[in-house]
Amino acid sequence: MIAVSDLEKSFGDHILFRGASFRLNAGERYGLVGGNGSGKTTLLNILAGDLPASAGTVSMPGDVRLGVLRQDQFLHSDEPVLDVALMGNEELWRAMAERERVLARSGEHFDADRFSALEEIVERHDGYTAEARAAAVLEGLGLPARILKRPLSNLSGGFRLRVLLAQVLCGAPDALLLDEPTNHLDILSIRWLEKFLRGYRGPAVVISHDHRFLDNVATQILDIDYLAVTRYPGNYTRFLTAKAAERERREKEIAQREREIAHHRRFVDRFRAKASKARQAQSKLRLIEKKAEALEPLPQTSRRYPVFRFGEVRPSGREVLRIRGVTKSFGENRVLHGVDLVVARGDRLAIVGPNGIGKSTLLNVMVGRVAADAGTIEWGYETHPGHFAQDPADHLRTPKRTAEAWVEQYCDGKGRGFARGQLGRVLFSGDDAEKRLETLSGGESARLVLCSLMVRQPNVLVLDEPTNHLDLEAIEALVDGLRAYPGTLVFVSHDRWFVGRLANRIVEITEEGITDYRGTYEEYVHARGDDHLDVDQVVLRAREGRRRRRGGGRGSAPGARRLSAWQRRRLEERAGELAAQVEAAEARVAEIEAVFADPAFYAGASPGEVRRLEEERAGRIEEVAALTGEWEGVVGELDDT
């Protein structure tokens, strides 16, 4: 359907790729992968027609409709959510809107011919079922029916991006171009999107840093590396195997040629001075030169793998952490209630549960960033915890410092050379080490914080969503580093692949309490009786639990309770109040982040003021999660009665 021929893209002297030729065929799903800066998004923009190529062509039929995920969450902010989704099919949306205007005209002003033409457009696009299809897509992406008539501006940023993804999917495009479509989706919504894409009949090109998503969706991989775009059949795991085998074959071929050259060179060196062997030596010399010219080294890869090596300054005692009766609320929203947990040396404990259930709150209480309302936290003998916050930039609030200076403070007097060496391991080499903290990207901030943990060598690592800002290569390197770590690991992650590679113990947080399973993630899944369970499948169980406790909902008996008009009105008012509180909390987070982004703030602020704002920001973020969870429950009750 789409043919790419001899495509090249460069910015000045910097070449991203050249000579790229491939076809995008209907029914195939292409995972577009490559290192940071290799040109993935650039290639997607060229395919979408948003960016010109430096050379080469992209050919497709003139009537092909492209569905491109663009993340402008402020577009159509005053339109109802359902209408924004319907706008994905622009011709249908315009026809439906104009048809309503024509119908509104009565008597002699009614334009029967125009109405007939509009009806033909609506019928051609199956417009009479368009709203039902759009509502199904929105629900699949986690947006309940009750909010579909509300303005887009009433939703939080993450939910707005889900609506924009629904807009792309509802447009019935002939081809899909999706850049990180799983951003801001929970795992249930990711599974729905996987199913949708597997049933999609056109070609789909997807950029993603989610291993499991690429494995479940991709039928082909387009790999940008060595300044080329290479196609591999199969999913991401199969691609990794094939690429490693190809590189190994080429390295062996080069090694064999180098051995042959060395053999011929030894002959030349030995017999060059002998008259009887001089002619033969000269022949060998020409052969060496010919082989050397043909011996092309492997081109430099665009992938850059950091090296994470976590040690522990000394082993901890056998009991690492004891939590007794921990309770935490944000206003009227109780997040944790009576949590009891004991962590032992050597545990690799993954904490799972639905968004807003209190996973991050529990970690923040553990490390003292958030105070519990009740209960105790007791760290064991010789424990030295190291923390990684969900937003790594929270660790980097020191103004006007470079990456090197920030890491050097943890180096215990080992000097600049040691700090530089550690920074080089996590891809801060040369001038990158001089970057100021406020200019770092999310991925750079994450790697820098992980570097500080390497230097400090804590014997307990407490990690909150450490993969959120990392690319595929860094995630793989982090797994390698954590698997070799001799200490204790406590972490929260929605990445199913990451949890499966690391955890030997699963703690699931639900509204009823916690379930402690001692075993791997795969064993946990099997024990739950769902071999396809995702880490956040517990979201579904939590929602169903709320419905059962309230006496209604999908799958309820015929006697499920019905809401009176007064009860429904009160729930609708509560849903509106919660939505407003979410917006207010998010707005306050944005205000604090704007203050932190202003270098002038630090000139007059005291350390206490900075700390106070940091604590308020952390609390507000937790408040947003808790309020969103309660809002989902209220809306769910309205939907199910």
Side-chain angles (χ1 to χ4, degrees), residues 164-477:
L164 296 178
L165 175 58
Q167 183 185 78
V168 173
L169 302 182
C170 289
D174 301 306
L176 283 171
L177 305 174
L178 306 177
D179 192 348
E180 292 289 355
T182 60
N183 280 357
H184 302 283
L185 298 185
D186 60 29
I187 299 277
L188 289 178
S189 300
I190 292 174
R191 290 187 68 180
W192 179 89
L193 181 59
E194 289 174 351
K195 183 178 179 181
F196 179 95
L197 290 174
R198 286 196 294 266
Y200 181 66
R201 295 183 178 181
V205 181
V206 180
I207 298 173
S208 179
H209 290 157
D210 187 322
H211 290 71
R212 187 68 63 87
F213 181 74
L214 287 174
D215 269 351
N216 290 346
V217 167
T219 60
Q220 307 274 336
I221 296 292
L222 295 174
D223 176 39
I224 304 181
D225 207 357
Y226 309 128
L227 307 183
V229 181
T230 306
R231 184 183 64 84
Y232 293 82
N235 63 12
Y236 184 70
T237 296
R238 185 175 172 185
F239 150 74
L240 288 177
T241 302
K243 188 175 178 74
E246 177 188 352
R247 184 172 183 89
E248 183 179 1
R249 177 188 59 79
R250 294 188 66 184
E251 287 175 344
K252 286 181 177 178
E253 180 181 321
I254 290 172
Q256 177 60 31
R257 290 186 184 180
E258 287 176 340
R259 285 194 294 269
E260 291 175 2
I261 290 173
H263 173 74
H264 295 314
R265 193 176 298 280
R266 284 194 298 270
F267 180 90
V268 171
D269 292 342
R270 182 178 180 184
F271 296 110
R272 181 182 297 177
K274 289 189 177 182
S276 60
K277 297 286 188 178
R279 181 175 296 180
Q280 190 174 355
Q282 287 299 320
S283 177
K284 290 284 188 182
L285 186 59
R286 287 193 294 271
L287 180 61
I288 289 172
E289 293 171 349
K290 186 175 181 180
K291 283 183 175 289
E293 289 175 0
L295 186 63
E296 294 182 3
L298 282 174
Q300 186 176 0
T301 176
S302 62
R303 282 173 169 74
R304 301 175 67 205
Y305 286 83
V307 177
F308 297 112
R309 292 292 180 266
F310 302 101
E312 56 177 358
V313 65
R314 63 181 63 86
S316 69
R318 181 171 297 178
E319 185 175 292
V320 170
L321 175 67
R322 182 175 289 273
I323 300 174
R324 290 189 178 97
V326 164
T327 297
K328 180 63 183 177
S329 299
F330 294 97
E332 297 179 357
N333 303 299
R334 187 170 63 186
V335 180
L336 300 172
H337 178 64
V339 174
D340 295 309
L341 185 66
V342 177
V343 180
R345 185 179 63 215
D347 277 348
R348 294 169 179 273
L349 190 156
I351 300 175
V352 303
N355 290 337
I357 201 68
K359 303 185 298 295
S360 294
T361 300
L362 181 57
L363 293 194
N364 285 328
V365 170
M366 284 182 189
V367 299
R369 297 183 78 232
V370 172
D373 298 332
T376 59
I377 300 290
E378 298 175 7
W379 287 98
Y381 175 73
E382 282 287 0
T383 53
H384 301 278
H387 180 232
F388 181 100
Q390 188 173 116
D391 183 357
D394 285 351
H395 297 285
L396 306 175
R397 295 301 180 189
T398 308
K400 298 182 180 179
R401 297 196 76 175
T402 65
E404 178 186 327
W406 189 80
V407 167
E408 194 171 352
Q409 69 181 320
Y410 299 109
C411 291
D412 195 24
K414 294 179 181 178
R416 183 182 184 192
F418 176 79
R420 280 270 178 167
Q422 298 302 307
L423 285 165
R425 285 186 170 190
V426 296
L427 308 183
F428 282 88
S429 57
D431 292 341
D432 288 340
E434 299 298 328
K435 286 184 175 179
R436 291 191 176 276
L437 299 183
E438 59 267 25
T439 68
L440 299 182
S441 66
E444 288 172 327
S445 297
R447 284 187 274 114
L448 189 63
V449 174
L450 291 170
C451 180
S452 74
L453 295 175
M454 290 165 49
V455 171
R456 292 161 58 194
Q457 296 188 315
N459 53 25
V460 186
L461 287 175
V462 182
L463 311 179
D464 192 356
E465 295 286 3
T467 66
N468 270 359
H469 300 280
L470 300 179
D471 60 20
L472 285 165
E473 292 73 33
I475 292 171
E476 293 166 12

